[in-house]
Amino acid sequence: MAKQGVKRRGQRKIEDVDGSGRPVDLDVLQSLVTEMLLSLGEKPGRNGLRKTPERVAKALAFMTQGYQRNIDHLLNGALFPIEYDEMVIVKDIDFFSMCEHHLLPFFGKVHVGYLPNKKVVGLSKIPRIVDTFARRLQVQERLTVQIAETLKSKLNANGVGVVVEARHLCMMMRGVEKQNTVAVTSSMLGTFRSQPQTRLEFLKLIRRGSVGDSD
Ligand SMILES: [Zn+2]
């Protein structure tokens, strides 16, 4: 039975889901986790595991809640007209995502910069945009581009730069077992792409020590 469920879900196209994701079916997920424990040679009935399927299902639902979020709803009422046309930077945004190849976490920091074009977004919304895309099954490259393109199009910004630095548990715990490797991806749009000076200013500002750091 469970197998059929997997097949049906496998056909769902999730690339372009934007806030129209179906609610997670916790019951199906739970029974799949029980199956998984059995396949691993475990005894799902033993004490420590009795509530594990329920916990895992809820954790997975939480970690993929980005499918239920809609960027337009998120930005509703949070865009402000303004004459400011200098660079806006929000750096060191923590994120946690899951790689779509192994369903293992990858996590790190996102740095975002943009050059406004008569419009800015409430600063607190930028981490929420990051979260919306991070809390889906992802690859780091796509996560980076989705954040950049969303800001570019929703703000009509003159330029956008996004840099993502992340560690991948699928690299650290298995396969190549490179413990200290950090993968860095970037997406530069508009003036951040066409003007090396703008790009350099952005990269310089995100490299600078955080507020309060001694260096
Ligand atoms: Zn992976």
Side-chain angles (χ1 to χ4, degrees):
M1 298 300 148
K3 269 184 191 145
Q4 277 176 356
V6 173
K7 222 176 241 170
R8 267 203 319 276
R9 271 160 190 79
Q11 287 161 1
R12 177 178 160 201
K13 193 165 177 278
I14 53 177
E15 281 282 329
D16 45 18
V17 170
D18 180 19
S20 55
R22 290 190 302 223
V24 175
D25 190 330
L26 287 174
D27 290 338
V28 172
L29 257 184
Q30 271 190 54
S31 57
L32 290 173
V33 175
T34 305
E35 296 274 331
M36 186 176 77
L37 290 170
L38 282 168
S39 315
L40 292 172
E42 265 293 357
K43 299 182 182 67
R46 76 173 167 84
N47 241 343
L49 290 180
R50 207 163 290 156
K51 290 201 125 195
T52 296
E54 187 189 337
R55 290 193 198 100
V56 173
K58 283 183 179 162
L60 280 171
F62 181 86
M63 293 184 288
T64 58
Q65 62 186 280
Y67 289 123
Q68 261 71 248
R69 296 231 196 112
N70 181 293
I71 293 290
D72 289 323
H73 292 177
L74 184 71
L75 295 181
N76 196 13
L79 299 178
F80 308 103
I82 200 167
E83 286 309 315
Y84 183 80
D85 60 359
E86 299 295 327
M87 196 177 291
V88 178
I89 290 184
V90 182
K91 63 176 198 166
D92 295 330
I93 303 166
D94 291 311
F95 80 93
F96 295 87
S97 189
M98 280 207 297
C99 93
E100 67 183 19
H101 300 139
H102 305 95
L103 301 192
L104 286 171
F106 69 98
F107 56 95
K109 292 189 185 297
V110 180
H111 313 291
V112 172
Y114 70 95
L115 275 169
N117 176 18
K118 300 190 177 76
K119 233 188 323 193
V120 293
V121 62
L123 288 179
S124 67
K125 297 294 179 184
I126 292 182
R128 300 201 59 196
I129 292 172
V130 169
D131 247 13
T132 297
F133 291 114
R135 294 209 186 274
R136 299 176 182 188
L137 302 185
Q138 278 288 9
V139 294
Q140 186 177 333
E141 293 85 346
R142 186 175 61 221
L143 173 64
T144 311
V145 170
Q146 284 177 334
I147 297 166
E149 285 181 348
T150 298
L151 281 167
K152 179 88 174 75
S153 70
K154 300 297 178 189
L155 288 175
N156 193 26
N158 285 324
V160 174
V162 174
V163 172
V164 179
E165 302 173 303
R167 289 159 162 262
H168 293 246
L169 287 190
C170 60
M171 279 179 79
M172 297 165 74
M173 293 178 70
R174 55 165 287 288
V176 289
E177 294 191 49
K178 292 288 178 235
Q179 311 300 345
N180 294 305
T181 305
V182 175
V184 182
T185 47
S186 72
S187 175
M188 302 287 162
L189 304 176
T191 47
F192 280 60
R193 178 176 284 268
S194 61
Q195 295 175 8
Q197 242 170 304
T198 305
R199 188 165 60 240
L200 277 176
E201 186 190 343
F202 169 61
L203 294 175
K204 207 170 83 187
L205 287 167
I206 65 171
R207 290 284 160 252
R208 221 195 249 169
S210 303
V211 181
D213 280 3
S214 48
D215 53 344

